[in-house]
Amino acid sequence: MGEFLKMRKDYFTFILILVAAFMFSIAGKEPDDAVRIEGFIAAVVTLILILFRNFLVNGCKLDKFILISLLAALAALSKIIFSPISFLYLDLFIIILAGMIFGFPSAFFAGLIAGIVTSFFVKENFLLQIIAYSVVGIFSGACGKSFRVNKIDRIYFGIISVIIFSYVKNFGCVWNIFDLIGGVINSLLLLFTGDFFIKKFNAIEL
């Protein structure tokens, strides 16, 4: 959380975030709208530059940045592929893993980029979807240390993350039984595979 507060003091970053937010606001609503596509491209480039700059300032190695970007892309790909299956939230599972393994800034970055890429392909409210992914990334990173050592917290958050995601994405709509099923699936994945992924990623020198 301290690193996030440092980002807030970075006025250059703040200005870039405002520019990106403006680009999102002028983007169109239809997937084939040229304005929306241009807005997406400009916002993606701007946000990647923002986060890349802050990662380098905080001493993040380039190979770690690339790995986190790949996790974000994998989360988006899983959402695109399994979007017809309403009770599968493998995208959130990957973002939570990023928080468990790499911490707050990395999970926030993974959630943000996954939201941007997913919104480009999945026909939903793109801005709310991006915010929803980012919020899950923020909570995953903030609680990442606890998830590494406490498996009970993983179980709770596996369910809570899906509820938070659905609540933000649908702008306050009540979650349904499919969200609960998806949360249980994520909880089981985090419980039984979390330690495996932590060991594998810790073995990589980043």
Side-chain angles (χ1 to χ4, degrees), residues 128-150:
L128 288 178
Q129 188 164 241
I130 291 169
I131 294 173
Y133 277 107
S134 301
V135 168
V136 172
I138 288 172
F139 279 103
S140 300
C143 303
K145 291 183 179 179
S146 174
F147 297 155
R148 289 173 68 94
V149 298
N150 194 327

Side-chain angles (χ1 to χ4, degrees), residues 84-128:
I85 307 176
S86 57
F87 57 85
L88 272 183
Y89 288 89
L90 297 180
D91 46 344
L92 300 186
F93 167 69
I94 295 171
I95 294 171
I96 297 171
L97 277 181
M100 289 174 55
I101 297 167
F102 297 112
F104 177 83
S106 303
F108 171 67
F109 173 77
L112 182 63
I113 298 303
I116 292 173
V117 176
T118 300
S119 299
F120 192 76
F121 293 96
V122 179
K123 298 179 181 179
E124 295 182 6
N125 190 321
F126 69 96
L127 185 55
L128 288 178

Side-chain angles (χ1 to χ4, degrees), residues 3-166:
E3 295 179 13
F4 178 67
L5 295 177
K6 291 179 183 178
M7 287 177 60
R8 290 181 57 190
K9 298 177 182 178
D10 189 336
Y11 296 106
F12 177 72
T13 299
F14 180 69
I15 292 172
L16 289 180
I17 291 175
L18 288 180
V19 172
F22 174 75
M23 291 173 181
F24 278 126
S25 67
I26 65 173
K29 296 182 179 180
E30 297 299 327
D32 57 350
D33 190 331
V35 176
R36 182 186 186 208
I37 294 174
E38 292 173 1
F40 258 110
I41 294 174
V44 168
V45 172
T46 304
L47 290 169
I48 288 177
L49 287 175
I50 291 170
L51 293 161
F52 182 66
R53 178 179 181 277
N54 280 278
F55 267 61
L56 293 181
V57 168
N58 292 323
C60 177
K61 296 181 180 179
L62 181 59
D63 50 357
K64 179 180 177 181
F65 183 85
I66 294 174
L67 178 58
I68 296 168
S69 300
L70 290 174
L71 286 176
L74 183 61
L77 182 62
S78 66
K79 175 62 176 180
I80 295 168
I81 293 175
F82 297 108
S83 58
I85 307 176
S86 57
F87 57 85
L88 272 183
Y89 288 89
L90 297 180
D91 46 344
L92 300 186
F93 167 69
I94 295 171
I95 294 171
I96 297 171
L97 277 181
M100 289 174 55
I101 297 167
F102 297 112
F104 177 83
S106 303
F108 171 67
F109 173 77
L112 182 63
I113 298 303
I116 292 173
V117 176
T118 300
S119 299
F120 192 76
F121 293 96
V122 179
K123 298 179 181 179
E124 295 182 6
N125 190 321
F126 69 96
L127 185 55
L128 288 178
Q129 188 164 241
I130 291 169
I131 294 173
Y133 277 107
S134 301
V135 168
V136 172
I138 288 172
F139 279 103
S140 300
C143 303
K145 291 183 179 179
S146 174
F147 297 155
R148 289 173 68 94
V149 298
N150 194 327
K151 294 184 178 181
I152 300 298
D153 288 346
R154 297 182 199 175
I155 296 175
Y156 290 147
F157 191 73
I159 298 174
I160 294 172
S161 62
V162 175
I163 295 174
I164 292 174
F165 178 80
S166 297

